[in-house]
Amino acid sequence: KPEYFVQFYANLTQRDSDIVQLVRDDGALLARFPFQPDFPRHLLDTSPLLPAMKDSNAGLIHATSPLSGERRIFAYRRLPNINVFAMVAVNHDTVIQEWLMNMARYLIFGIPATIALFLLSLIALHRTRNAALTLAKLQQEVTRRERTELALRQSQKMEAVGRLTGGIAHD
């Protein structure tokens, strides 16, 4: 019922610029919120909604309202089993303004978080490079010690052979 439609949307909190209406497929306005007695009871022939409603059962149109001259976003959908459309019109500038406010709120937290993440990445990169340098030095030290130990074992072998040779020569 159109009365239920008007009461339902009257109870919802909405922006003052939003319009919700029930429209027959021929353009006759069945119910509208907010109700305005001077509002035409039929969509104007210059409205871009009538051709769009005839072409599809649901859609979204960005257009200038022929009555108020405001840029609006119109969303419509045909109700099942009847030739009636539920339609919502939202002021384009209000949507953009709300979007910008939401983005500003996200940026208040997003920019510091991004900076902190960038700084943490730099710290991690610095530590990784230091760890790589330390590992390279450690590998060089291990190689040097292995060579020294090999040389020490070789000299111990030579010393043992020298003692053995000296002992045999003395005997």
Side-chain angles (χ1 to χ4, degrees):
K1 293 183 178 180
E3 297 82 25
Y4 171 78
F5 179 83
V6 171
Q7 288 175 348
F8 177 78
Y9 283 101
N11 292 331
L12 293 179
T13 58
Q14 296 182 350
R15 296 176 293 261
D16 293 336
S17 63
D18 291 355
I19 297 171
V20 181
Q21 50 195 10
L22 287 176
V23 180
R24 264 195 338 233
D25 62 352
D26 65 354
L29 186 64
L30 302 176
R32 183 179 193 276
F33 181 81
F35 178 75
Q36 293 176 335
D38 58 338
F39 195 81
R41 301 298 297 166
H42 196 276
L43 289 180
L44 299 178
D45 292 334
T46 58
S47 172
L49 294 169
L50 286 175
M53 288 170 31
K54 289 179 182 174
D55 289 342
S56 67
N57 289 333
L60 192 67
I61 298 174
H62 296 261
T64 301
S65 171
L67 296 173
S68 65
E70 296 176 339
R71 287 178 50 207
R72 291 191 175 272
I73 302 170
F74 295 92
Y76 63 91
R77 180 178 299 264
R78 183 185 301 268
L79 300 178
N81 303 324
I82 55 175
N83 291 329
V84 174
F85 287 85
M87 186 179 306
V88 177
V90 181
N91 186 311
H92 181 269
D93 296 333
T94 302
V95 170
I96 297 298
Q97 190 175 36
E98 287 179 7
W99 180 80
L100 288 173
M101 289 299 294
N102 285 336
M103 291 308 296
R105 282 188 209 115
Y106 292 135
L107 289 177
I108 287 172
F109 296 105
I111 288 175
T114 302
I115 291 170
L117 184 61
F118 179 72
L119 292 175
L120 286 172
S121 298
L122 287 178
I123 291 169
L125 179 64
H126 179 69
R127 287 185 177 179
T128 303
R129 286 181 179 164
N130 284 345
L133 289 173
T134 304
L135 181 62
K137 288 180 183 176
L138 183 62
Q139 287 175 340
Q140 289 174 351
E141 181 63 24
V142 167
T143 304
R144 187 187 66 77
R145 285 187 181 194
E146 285 176 352
R147 285 185 200 148
T148 304
E149 289 175 5
L150 184 62
L152 177 62
R153 273 187 253 136
Q154 188 66 27
S155 87
Q156 287 174 343
K157 286 180 191 176
M158 295 305 273
E159 182 182 350
V161 169
R163 281 188 189 169
L164 181 64
T165 307
I168 292 175
H170 185 285
D171 287 340

